[in-house]
Amino acid sequence: MQPSDFLTILGLALAVWAIIPSKERRFILLFFSKFEIGVFIASLFVIHYLMSFDWIITNWFPCLSIFTVKNGLPSSTWAYILALTIIFFPIVKVSFGYFSTSRLKRMITLYKTYLKENEIDLLVNYINKYHITDIHKYLQGISHLPQKENIDIILRRRTEKDNASDKLVEPQRTLFASWVYGHIIQDETFIRKSANKYPELFATAFSGMETKEASNQDLVKLFIECLFENKNQLLIQELKIMNGTNSSVSEMNKEYDIPILFSLFAHTKSASANYVWYPVGEGGVKSLKHDTTQREFLIKKCDHDLESELWNQKIYIAIVYFNYMVRETIYRDSECHMWLFYFRHFTDLLIEIIPSQNEYDEDSVYPSFAHKMIYEQFSIMKDWLDLAKEQETDNRVIDIIRCLGWCVHSICQADDAKISISFRRRRLDLILSTYFEFSYYPDNIGATTTRQWLERLFLNPKGVDFGVPEITNEYLTALQNAWDEFDKVPYEYHGNNNSIQHFITTVIKPLGLNG
């Protein structure tokens, strides 16, 4: 092996390094400590020394022959071995290794540079490859740290939680993950630039938020806002997968790929702490007030051929989103109603945009798309009550009926030109049917709680359990009409605890209506 061969090898290696873009070179250097880089540079001099060793012995220092071994490897061979080592070691370390611990702050600085230079695709690629799985594990670890007492916080005493927190980030990869999560994932600029394009990146992280302790309200709210405002197609696709099913998000996630909804809803305690309802609720209200294109669509006569366009309307996306968010809390109580009361705001705004001057078919189930949205909300609330009965729980029941009562009041007070008599009757008929169907389940807490609170709804729809009863003539007329048309025959037989007579005694007569 001639010296020129070594020079050729090293020259090619340095040439390859030179043509690598600057941003990638800076990233590769994160894998090596200062000591390793120093060894690499020193190795170049050692290689040149070994290449010239025979010439040095012959012409300058014959005494160096004491370092030679009879029948040992020639110095040129050692130079060759060392050259291959310093060429392949970096390749192996970058391909299969991890960053040097001493490069932690430099890595964050580099990532922030990528963000500033709008190199979002490159940055996301690195986070996906080297950090996101560890960020998920890091958040899982935070979720299950021991609780810290208030007195310990006040006195700043070191506790078991502090020790557990330190131990959590002892592994090198977890330490790097915690820094990337804190300095990059939570950066507002990064969220706004990457959330809509790479929602699954955030979903992977959020799915590690298994308890309130790991929640991050500002981060999650901004993420959801970005998806909702952009009508993100991955989110919509997941909602389409869920729409019409009776399964929980957790169960559906086992069979279908729904990472966004799973990360937001599956762990209800953290979902509550993250205010996952707020961006969609506020966005839905805002769209009903200011989105002219949506308003024009909603006041159109309902046409089956146009129903696919509902997925382009924020209000419909919001309604389906709320449906499965609340359903998850019925399966697993979050101790929070998830502000399902946005449905009453949606109902009021939908009634407001329905034109008084119209040519709608009064006998149609939903004359316009706005009516269909109101219809959907009533049906969803009825389904929530059904789910509570099926699960034999009273989770969310009272809150649902409070919201349902407000919506009943709103449609009864609306102008007949906007909400027809038949439309009101059908919505009240739905509620009456639920009340009487549940009478067959006297030992089911979901059913009995529903019946108890529906009686309160009928007696005071707007307030249900608070305030002075606001019983309007419009409401009484609508309820009387619905009661007259209601099919009572199936409930007049034995086995339902005389529910018809009970309803007349507790609701109809106190309201002064005809039984």
Side-chain angles (χ1 to χ4, degrees):
M1 181 72 66
Q2 298 299 317
S4 59
D5 296 329
F6 298 115
L7 292 174
T8 301
I9 293 172
L10 290 173
L12 288 172
L14 293 173
V16 170
W17 176 256
I19 63 175
I20 296 175
S22 174
K23 57 177 74 72
E24 278 82 2
R25 288 205 303 271
R26 293 168 64 189
F27 178 77
I28 291 172
L29 288 175
L30 297 175
F31 287 83
F32 305 97
S33 64
K34 292 180 180 179
F35 174 77
E36 289 172 323
I37 294 174
V39 170
F40 178 84
I41 295 173
S43 297
L44 296 177
F45 290 99
V46 172
I47 289 172
H48 282 81
Y49 167 73
L50 292 173
M51 290 165 53
S52 308
F53 186 75
D54 292 337
W55 182 86
I56 292 174
I57 289 179
T58 303
N59 296 283
W60 288 85
F61 301 105
C63 60
L64 292 177
S65 60
I66 62 174
F67 295 107
T68 61
V69 178
K70 185 177 181 180
N71 298 324
L73 293 175
S75 60
S76 59
T77 302
W78 283 112
Y80 180 71
I81 293 172
L82 186 56
L84 291 179
T85 300
I86 67 172
I87 290 173
F88 287 105
F89 173 72
I91 296 174
V92 172
K93 185 162 188 181
V94 171
S95 300
F96 305 102
Y98 201 68
F99 307 109
S100 169
T101 304
S102 62
R103 297 291 181 174
L104 178 57
K105 292 183 179 180
R106 190 179 292 268
M107 180 197 70
I108 296 299
T109 300
L110 179 60
Y111 284 0
K112 287 185 175 180
T113 300
Y114 290 158
L115 184 57
K116 185 177 181 180
E117 295 175 354
N118 206 34
E119 293 285 353
I120 302 301
D121 294 340
L122 181 63
L123 177 55
V124 168
N125 179 56
Y126 288 150
I127 294 175
N128 262 324
K129 185 174 182 180
Y130 295 102
H131 306 293
I132 197 61
T133 300
D134 298 304
I135 291 174
H136 171 85
K137 293 178 181 177
Y138 169 68
L139 292 174
Q140 276 185 319
I142 293 178
S143 297
H144 302 288
L145 288 176
Q147 295 296 313
K148 196 168 186 176
E149 300 294 336
N150 291 334
I151 187 65
D152 295 324
I153 297 174
I154 295 172
L155 298 178
R156 299 183 180 180
R157 291 192 300 212
R158 189 168 183 81
T159 66
E160 183 183 352
K161 180 174 183 178
D162 297 310
N163 296 329
S165 297
D166 293 343
K167 187 175 181 180
L168 176 63
V169 295
E170 279 182 1
Q172 181 188 13
R173 296 185 71 102
T174 307
L175 176 63
F176 274 74
S178 67
W179 278 60
V180 173
Y181 176 70
H183 293 275
I184 305 300
I185 298 295
Q186 297 186 59
D187 186 282
E188 181 179 348
T189 303
F190 177 73
I191 300 167
R192 293 193 180 280
K193 288 185 176 180
S194 60
N196 189 52
K197 189 174 182 181
Y198 301 103
E200 290 172 307
L201 172 78
F202 292 88
T204 301
F206 296 163
S207 61
M209 297 178 179
E210 297 181 351
T211 67
K212 180 180 178 181
E213 284 64 33
S215 63
N216 191 326
Q217 182 185 136
D218 292 337
L219 167 61
V220 176
K221 282 167 58 179
L222 181 56
F223 167 73
I224 297 171
E225 177 188 329
C226 291
L227 266 56
F228 184 72
E229 292 302 319
N230 288 284
K231 291 184 277 192
N232 181 268
Q233 291 305 301
L234 284 177
L235 173 62
I236 291 174
Q237 185 60 38
E238 291 188 18
L239 290 172
K240 287 180 178 180
I241 291 172
M242 289 299 304
N243 198 32
T245 67
N246 292 320
S247 300
S248 72
V249 168
S250 297
E251 288 299 316
M252 287 292 288
N253 190 60
K254 296 176 182 177
E255 300 182 20
Y256 300 92
D257 190 20
I258 51 171
I260 301 173
L261 294 181
F262 177 80
S263 70
L264 296 178
F265 300 160
H267 305 295
T268 54
K269 295 291 192 290
S270 64
S272 172
N274 283 326
Y275 281 42
V276 296
W277 64 82
Y278 184 82
V280 177
E282 288 298 303
V285 168
K286 183 179 178 181
S287 72
L288 287 173
K289 289 181 177 179
H290 306 295
D291 189 337
T292 304
T293 302
Q294 178 177 258
R295 291 166 68 95
E296 290 175 352
F297 174 82
L298 291 173
I299 63 176
K300 289 181 179 178
K301 290 182 179 180
C302 200
D303 184 343
H304 178 73
D305 293 335
L306 296 177
E307 286 191 7
S308 61
E309 293 187 23
L310 282 170
W311 288 106
N312 294 323
Q313 315 307 320
K314 288 182 180 178
I315 183 57
Y316 185 66
I317 297 170
I319 289 171
V320 178
Y321 178 95
F322 266 75
N323 183 15
Y324 290 96
M325 175 182 65
V326 174
R327 286 180 69 88
E328 206 66 19
T329 70
I330 297 173
Y331 282 108
R332 285 173 297 281
D333 188 18
S334 69
E335 300 175 0
C336 176
H337 49 58
M338 309 303 277
W339 273 103
L340 58 89
F341 296 101
Y342 271 102
F343 270 21
R344 74 186 191 186
H345 299 305
F346 293 166
T347 298
D348 289 345
L349 290 169
L350 285 163
I351 292 172
E352 182 181 319
I353 69 173
I354 296 172
S356 297
Q357 302 298 323
N358 60 68
E359 298 179 354
Y360 298 141
D361 179 1
E362 293 184 359
D363 294 326
S364 174
V365 177
Y366 18 80
S368 72
F369 283 106
H371 290 86
K372 183 174 176 61
M373 295 300 93
I374 297 171
Y375 177 97
E376 289 288 339
Q377 290 177 101
F378 273 82
S379 296
I380 286 170
M381 286 186 279
K382 192 265 187 189
D383 289 343
W384 288 341
L385 295 175
D386 287 339
L387 178 60
K389 175 179 68 67
E390 291 169 9
Q391 297 295 308
E392 297 192 25
T393 179
D394 59 357
N395 293 343
R396 303 288 75 76
V397 168
I398 297 174
D399 296 315
I400 294 166
I401 294 174
R402 285 170 175 159
C403 181
L404 184 59
W406 183 288
C407 295
V408 166
H409 175 81
S410 295
I411 65 170
C412 289
Q413 296 308 118
D415 189 287
D416 288 350
K418 291 189 173 194
I419 301 296
S420 67
I421 295 173
S422 61
F423 187 88
R424 292 192 193 103
R425 184 175 62 248
R426 290 190 183 96
R427 298 304 88 214
L428 286 168
D429 185 87
L430 182 72
I431 301 171
L432 287 167
S433 297
T434 301
Y435 176 85
F436 287 106
E437 286 169 5
F438 282 21
S439 66
Y440 292 104
Y441 305 90
D443 299 322
N444 184 308
I445 187 173
T448 56
T449 304
T450 296
R451 281 173 52 79
Q452 176 187 351
W453 283 80
L454 283 180
E455 288 176 9
R456 296 190 181 193
L457 180 154
F458 287 119
L459 292 171
N460 183 22
K462 188 174 183 180
V464 178
D465 63 331
F466 63 89
V468 178
E470 185 176 340
I471 309 299
T472 65
N473 290 328
E474 291 82 1
Y475 166 67
L476 293 175
T477 300
L479 181 58
Q480 183 70 71
N481 176 261
W483 179 244
D484 291 341
E485 297 294 327
F486 182 68
D487 183 7
K488 306 175 186 63
V489 174
Y491 309 104
E492 292 177 340
Y493 298 103
H494 296 291
N496 68 341
N497 300 312
N498 296 315
S499 58
I500 294 292
Q501 187 58 46
H502 177 77
F503 186 74
I504 292 173
T505 302
T506 58
V507 175
I508 297 299
K509 288 184 177 180
L511 291 175
L513 301 179
N514 298 320

